[in-house]
Amino acid sequence: MQSRESGRVAKFCHTLREKLHLDEQELAVVAELLLRGAQTPGELRSRADRMARLDSLASTEEILRELIDRDTPLVIKLPRQAGRKENRYMHLLGDEGSLKEGDETTAAAPPVARDSSGRMELLEEELAALRRELADLRQEFEAFKQQFC
């Protein structure tokens, strides 16, 4: 947003804090989520602590709850992943595509056996073609080597 100050050069300032009515700690948590994507409360506490003092893990979780419980939520709690002991949190300040895509750590890979789209068959065909091409290249290389021996 353009600053109210007049002058020869247009000046800009950040207004997210005022627009969303965030305190210093909430702003730090939201900034970390925007910067690094989905994270656990422990990760958020250690990383956001550089911007604003977060006293404990419980206070970080309370900040996350407040950001979730707003009229317009700014954060969402993601379901726990298999093999992980903590839930991750993600910001909601973007298009819906970013929520669906998430980051690599939030999306679990679908099992190969359940692939019904024929993707597996395409990969197998491509692998067979690459193997044939490699065999052809090996033969050509052997013929090339014979020219110099």
Side-chain angles (χ1 to χ4, degrees):
M1 173 178 202
Q2 191 165 357
S3 175
R4 291 182 187 90
E5 298 176 23
S6 61
R8 295 181 301 184
V9 179
K11 297 180 182 179
F12 296 87
C13 62
H14 295 279
T15 59
L16 181 68
R17 184 177 186 172
E18 293 82 21
K19 292 275 185 192
L20 297 178
H21 308 289
L22 299 172
D23 64 26
E24 188 176 329
Q25 294 173 326
E26 291 170 333
L27 181 64
V29 169
V30 169
E32 283 298 323
L33 288 172
L34 285 167
L35 178 66
R36 298 179 188 260
Q39 299 175 63
T40 65
E43 292 169 334
L44 283 168
R45 178 178 178 245
S46 64
R47 293 172 178 159
D49 197 48
R50 297 177 189 138
M51 293 175 61
R53 179 95 173 118
L54 299 175
D55 297 324
S56 66
L57 190 57
S59 67
T60 305
E61 290 172 341
E62 179 60 31
I63 291 168
L64 288 165
R65 273 192 294 278
E66 290 172 7
L67 292 170
I68 290 171
D69 293 339
R70 296 175 71 127
D71 292 335
T72 304
L74 299 178
V75 174
I76 186 172
K77 184 177 184 178
L78 299 172
R80 187 178 311 166
Q81 295 176 316
R84 305 275 177 135
K85 63 180 184 176
E86 293 184 78
N87 290 75
R88 298 170 70 80
Y89 293 82
M90 185 173 154
H91 71 86
L92 293 173
L93 296 173
D95 60 351
E96 292 180 17
S98 64
L99 178 61
K100 291 175 186 167
E101 294 170 16
D103 56 63
E104 297 84 38
T105 58
T106 61
V112 176
R114 295 184 181 177
D115 187 5
S116 61
S117 65
R119 185 170 170 239
M120 193 65 173
E121 289 81 17
L122 289 172
L123 289 172
E124 288 172 350
E125 290 173 12
E126 187 175 343
L127 178 62
L130 288 171
R131 285 182 175 163
R132 284 191 301 271
E133 187 177 346
L134 179 61
D136 292 344
L137 286 171
R138 282 183 177 155
Q139 286 178 350
E140 288 179 30
F141 183 69
E142 287 300 320
F144 181 73
K145 277 187 359 184
Q146 293 300 324
Q147 292 177 355
F148 300 101
C149 292

